Structure formats: structure tokens, C-alpha cells
Amino acid sequence: MGGATALVGALPSYAKAGWLSPIILIALRVLQGLALGGEYGGAAVYVAEHVPDEKRGFYTSFIQITATLGLFLSIAVILGTQSQMSEAAFKDWGWRYPFLASLLLVIISLYIRLRMKESPIFEQIKTSGMRSAAPLKEEAFTVPENFKRFLITLFGATAGQGVVWYTGQFFALFFMTTMLKVPARDANIIVAKALLLGMPLFVLFGWLSDRVGRKKIIMAGLILAALSYRVPGTDIGIYPAMQARGRNNVVHVDHTKNKVTGATVLTPQNSGCDRQTYNCPGCQQRR
């Protein structure tokens, strides 16, 4: 994962490599995602196997913080890098620095990993000869009951939490910069402050899950997000409130394509635009 992240900083520009550049970027992002899935899940299991059963929620909650903490630190690094150069320089080559600097984290994580030992539970399984030689083939997908649990976990629990997390953090930044036209620096600062305030809640609800159960906490969080992001059929919720606070009366988004790259450009239109005919100065100009 660290290698793929660092390589993004060495990515050739579209002007130099053409379509090969976005293809490489997508490939690196896929590698990041696959690696993150293994690292994140492995870390949670590793911690859970080292702590008492009645405190697993509390201790593994610190693992949940790492994703949010990573986003917070990345925003801090970007803001710090931007402060050392002009906006044009950052867009031209400065954006590469944070990715290349991540190599330092790779070295630190490798050092830590080499000093780690297997959990007592895994050592016991290995000693007793219960370890599977081909877990994916023998246990995960060929045993109907295990495959059923896999699907329930993926689509019944993990998928919903993923939607909530990305909508509440990554999409919030995209929404402010793209839809509400909040300056990127201001939007990053707003999200960074929100992340900092929200991180302690992971520990709080992890601790609470040890007392009331994981399912109740997970379901309460999913329902709260579904109702608070935007109440269906109304203009009540966090995102409508952000839109109102932005005071630009955005009612729809105009989609246009870059004639060179084919990339879709989203342009928000305010209440002066006819949503049915797109009959407003902005839409007419792009046509």
C-alpha cells in the first residue's frame, strides 16, 4: 500500500503519457484499496486477539480511528505543503511531495512489523496443527455456511458502514469544494476540524459496544446517518444545512465533458436556473 501511494507522486502527467497516466493512477488506487482491506482487517484481528473478550470494542476502536486520523494528517500535510508555495506551483508539481513523503511512513511501519509477534491465539492454533493450508479454498468459499456469513458481513454490515464513513468524510470535502464552491483551503480546514472533534467518539462508542453489544451501536449509527445526512423527501439534514450555509442556492448540477480527456465536469447551478430546461445563463454559455 505504501509503495502504491508513493508511486502516485511519480505519476507522469497526461501531457507526457496521455491515457497511460490515468490508467496507471487507477491501477495504483486499486492496489491501495486491496492492500488497505488486508492491512485494516488484519490490524483489527491482531488487536482483538491480544485483548480480553470483554474489552475488544474499546481496544479495537483505536484501529477505527486510524482511517480518520490518516485523513486528518493527510489534510494537514497538504495544507502545510500549500503554505510553502504558490497555488500554481502546488497544482503543477507541489502536490507530488505528500505522496513521495509517505515513503517515510513505509519505513517506520516496516520496522514495527518486523518486531511484531503472532498473537497467543494464533500461536495456539499453529501449535495444535489446526491452521488451514488453503483457507480461501477449504474454508471461506467452498463451505456454504461460511460463504453465507461472508456475504452477510460484506453486504449487511460492512457496506453500510463504508457508505456512512465515506459520505460523512470524503464526500463532505467534495461537496464543499465542487458543489458549494468553498475554497479548497477553507474546506480542508473545516473537514480537519470536524475529524479532530469526531475521533474521540470512536473510542467512546467502542467502549459502549462492550456493554450494550456491537449490533445496537452499528444499527443506531446507520439509522442516524440515514436520517441526518438528508431526511428523505425534505430539505432537512446536514447536507441541506451546508448548502444553506453556503448561500449560493444550488439546485442542480450541470454535467459537461472535457473534449480532450472526456472527464466529466460538474458545475452547480443556483435557483435562477430552470431545472427542467436548464435555461439559465450558465447552462446556455456551456452549450
Side-chain angles (χ1 to χ4, degrees):
M1 182 173 68
T5 301
L7 285 174
V8 173
L11 193 70
S13 65
Y14 182 83
K16 292 182 178 180
W19 282 103
L20 183 61
S21 180
I23 291 174
I24 295 175
L25 176 60
I26 293 173
L28 292 175
R29 291 294 291 161
V30 170
L31 289 175
Q32 282 180 309
L34 293 173
L36 175 61
E39 293 286 343
Y40 194 76
V45 171
Y46 185 83
V47 171
E49 291 180 346
H50 277 84
V51 301
D53 291 349
E54 66 275 10
K55 293 185 178 181
R56 283 183 176 178
F58 172 74
Y59 282 106
T60 56
S61 66
F62 291 94
I63 299 297
Q64 311 308 317
I65 286 179
T66 58
T68 299
L69 178 62
L71 178 57
F72 172 80
L73 292 177
S74 67
I75 291 175
V77 170
I78 290 172
L79 291 174
T81 305
Q82 289 176 331
S83 67
Q84 301 300 313
M85 61 187 67
S86 66
E87 182 178 353
F90 181 81
K91 290 182 178 180
D92 185 26
W93 49 267
W95 63 270
R96 298 179 182 273
Y97 283 174
F99 292 99
L100 296 174
S102 68
L103 281 173
L104 177 61
L105 296 178
V106 175
I107 296 173
I108 295 174
S109 64
L110 181 61
Y111 173 78
I112 295 174
R113 181 179 294 264
L114 292 175
R115 297 173 64 88
M116 293 173 62
K117 297 180 180 180
E118 296 290 357
S119 68
I121 295 177
F122 184 80
E123 288 290 354
Q124 181 181 358
I125 292 175
K126 186 168 62 173
T127 303
S128 60
M130 297 173 61
R131 187 174 58 171
S132 175
L136 291 179
K137 181 179 180 180
E138 297 176 2
E139 304 291 341
F141 301 115
T142 57
V143 179
E145 184 61 27
N146 290 344
F147 186 64
K148 178 182 177 181
R149 291 178 181 176
F150 163 76
L151 293 177
I152 292 175
T153 302
L154 178 61
F155 296 106
T158 308
Q161 295 178 67
V163 169
V164 169
W165 192 84
Y166 280 99
T167 303
Q169 299 187 29
F170 280 97
F171 181 72
L173 184 60
F174 172 83
F175 183 78
M176 284 191 288
T177 56
T178 304
M179 306 299 182
L180 302 184
K181 296 301 180 182
V182 176
R185 180 178 176 81
D186 294 340
N188 279 321
I189 292 174
I190 292 170
V191 172
K193 290 180 178 179
L195 296 176
L196 192 61
L197 291 172
M199 277 189 281
L201 297 179
F202 283 97
V203 179
L204 173 62
F205 286 103
W207 169 83
L208 188 60
S209 73
D210 288 324
R211 284 150 180 77
V212 303
R214 324 281 186 229
K215 184 178 179 180
K216 292 179 180 179
I217 297 297
I218 292 174
M219 292 305 300
L222 294 175
I223 293 172
L224 179 62
L227 295 178
S228 63
Y229 284 164
R230 185 180 189 127
V231 178
T234 73
D235 287 328
I236 300 173
I238 296 173
Y239 280 91
M242 291 168 61
Q243 179 178 331
R245 185 66 176 174
R247 299 176 182 175
N248 54 10
N249 301 316
V250 173
V251 293
H252 80 88
V253 178
D254 183 32
H255 299 254
T256 58
K257 282 194 174 184
N258 186 299
K259 294 181 180 180
V260 177
T261 65
T264 300
V265 179
L266 304 178
T267 305
Q269 300 298 327
N270 61 29
S271 55
C273 178
D274 185 341
R275 300 181 65 177
Q276 301 299 322
T277 64
Y278 300 101
N279 185 24
C280 71
C283 289
Q284 294 299 323
Q285 182 179 0
R286 273 176 294 281
R287 291 184 176 183

